[in-house]
Amino acid sequence: GYRIDSRYTKLYLYSNANVAAKLGIEIGKHYAATVLAGYTGIKQERRAIPIALRMAYFPVSTECDGWMYFGEGGVGFHLDSYNLSGIFRAGTGYRLKLSRKSSLDFLASIQMSVDHPAIYNMNNAKYVPNYYVMSSNGLYGALNFSISMNF
C-alpha cells in the first residue's frame, strides 16, 4: 500500500439553498434562543440535515423593529454517509414586526462548515472506499442571505 498526502485550497462559486424550521424562546427583552432543523447544501452535490442552536441579541428589543446579531452552531447529518459536518454561522439582520406575535427577519451571515468529503481517485474514476482513508477534511465558507418568517 501507499499513502497520499494532499492539501489544496480552491475557490468554489456555487449557490446553495437552506430550508429550515425553527422553534425559539425569548429570554428577556434582548435575547432569543432558537433550535433549527432543516435541509442545506454545503458544497456542490453535498447536502446535510442540520440541527443547530442559534443565540440572538436585539439591542433595542425583541418586540419591535430593529437590528439583531446572532451566532449559530450545530451538526449536519448526511444521508449518503455516516460522517457529521460542523456548521457555524455568525451574522446580523433586521427584524420587521408585522403584528404582536409575527415578524419578518432579513438576515446576512457568514457560514463555515467542516466536512469529511469522499476522495475521488482519478486513476480508476471511482471514489476511494472509507476504510482506506485515514482522514479527509474540508473547510467551506459561504455568504448567506435569507428571509425568515416568525409567528
Side-chain angles (χ1 to χ4, degrees), residues 113-136:
S113 301
V114 178
D115 194 18
H116 308 286
I119 298 172
Y120 189 73
N121 184 344
M122 302 274 255
N123 295 332
N124 65 4
K126 294 182 181 179
Y127 286 98
V128 176
N130 282 340
Y131 52 85
Y132 288 127
V133 178
M134 291 181 68
S135 71
S136 172

Side-chain angles (χ1 to χ4, degrees), residues 56-133:
Y57 171 67
F58 298 80
V60 177
S61 171
T62 59
E63 298 175 359
C64 60
D65 293 355
W67 290 99
M68 62 182 283
Y69 306 94
F70 65 91
E72 177 182 321
V75 297
F77 299 90
H78 298 279
L79 298 175
D80 61 349
S81 71
Y82 295 109
N83 294 331
L84 295 176
S85 294
I87 302 173
F88 309 95
R89 291 186 185 111
T92 186
Y94 190 82
R95 172 164 284 182
L96 180 63
K97 290 297 281 188
L98 302 175
S99 70
R100 184 172 170 264
K101 292 289 185 181
S102 65
S103 63
L104 196 59
D105 294 345
F106 299 91
L107 307 171
S109 63
I110 295 174
Q111 174 179 310
M112 297 303 289
S113 301
V114 178
D115 194 18
H116 308 286
I119 298 172
Y120 189 73
N121 184 344
M122 302 274 255
N123 295 332
N124 65 4
K126 294 182 181 179
Y127 286 98
V128 176
N130 282 340
Y131 52 85
Y132 288 127
V133 178

Side-chain angles (χ1 to χ4, degrees), residues 9-60:
T9 301
K10 184 175 180 181
L11 177 64
Y12 292 98
L13 296 176
Y14 184 73
S15 59
N16 276 313
N18 181 17
V19 177
K22 59 185 188 174
L23 181 63
I25 185 169
E26 294 177 356
I27 305 169
K29 290 184 71 171
H30 299 283
Y31 296 95
T34 307
V35 175
L36 300 97
Y39 188 72
T40 189
I42 293 179
K43 71 175 197 110
Q44 187 172 5
E45 299 186 22
R46 187 73 167 149
R47 312 283 184 266
I49 297 171
I51 297 176
L53 175 65
R54 176 184 290 172
M55 295 299 296
Y57 171 67
F58 298 80
V60 177

